[in-house]
Amino acid sequence: MECNGCEFHPELYYDSEYQIWLRQEYDDSLTIGMTDISQTIAGKIVHVRVRRPGTVREPGKPVATIESGKWAGPVPNFIHCVILEGNPEVLDNPVLLNSDPYNAWIAKVQVSDDLETILEQFVTGDEAFEGYCQRARDEDIHCQRKVR
């Protein structure tokens, strides 16, 4: 699915501003990535730094930081979690976040609270698609993925 050229995956969970996506893994860990909207706004990603595995992160404390040609800042975090790992491919080649934002995940985390309760904070499915498209239209965001 897409909206304004921005790729969208209805099975993922999104924050209310559609900056990050979450995917529940078979072991109940969560994979965190950057949305197509976010990578477009950021521009070419030149550096990614993920906190060390085992690091506890409170809501509001980022799991990673990203630098692009026009922006540097945190990957938003809305949950209490422990970092399991950073994506070694993205750490070695950050522009993967631009070329394939839904396969080039940033970090995997283990949540400290009930997973179902945590996921209720996020939007998914048709509701998420509606909000995602609304943001893309309101801010006139037209996604373009950069080649590696």
Side-chain angles (χ1 to χ4, degrees):
M1 297 176 78
E2 72 171 48
C3 184
N4 272 17
C6 300
E7 188 177 345
F8 177 83
H9 291 249
E11 72 280 5
L12 299 175
Y13 292 84
Y14 297 86
D15 70 294
S16 62
E17 294 183 25
Y18 304 97
Q19 300 174 85
I20 63 160
W21 57 261
L22 301 171
R23 180 178 62 226
Q24 181 180 357
E25 301 299 342
Y26 68 91
D27 61 357
D28 284 343
S29 64
L30 292 174
T31 298
I32 300 172
M34 190 175 200
T35 66
D36 203 1
I37 286 175
S38 276
Q39 73 79 20
T40 297
I41 291 169
K44 184 179 177 185
I45 310 288
V46 296
H47 183 72
V48 176
R49 185 173 79 88
V50 176
R51 302 297 188 268
R52 278 184 290 108
T55 303
V56 175
R57 303 310 289 166
E58 301 285 338
K61 299 293 182 185
V63 296
T65 54
I66 303 239
E67 289 179 40
S68 73
K70 37 184 200 178
W71 176 84
V75 172
N77 177 39
F78 305 95
I79 58 177
H80 188 277
C81 62
V82 175
I83 306 291
L84 296 175
E85 67 175 314
N87 183 343
E89 291 177 356
V90 165
L91 296 174
D92 288 342
N93 188 8
V95 79
L96 290 173
L97 292 172
N98 295 116
S99 62
D100 197 4
Y102 294 97
N103 288 314
W105 52 274
I106 297 168
K108 291 192 184 210
V109 301
Q110 189 66 53
V111 297
S112 304
D113 299 317
D114 176 62
L115 186 59
E116 293 303 315
T117 302
I118 286 170
L119 291 175
E120 287 173 2
Q121 302 175 61
F122 299 92
V123 291
T124 190
D126 291 340
E127 180 185 355
F129 184 64
E130 219 174 273
Y132 190 84
C133 285
Q134 189 66 49
R135 178 164 186 206
R137 285 191 298 265
D138 287 352
E139 297 180 29
D140 199 27
I141 299 168
H142 296 269
C143 296
Q144 297 181 355
R145 282 165 288 291
K146 316 283 188 275
V147 275
R148 304 175 198 196

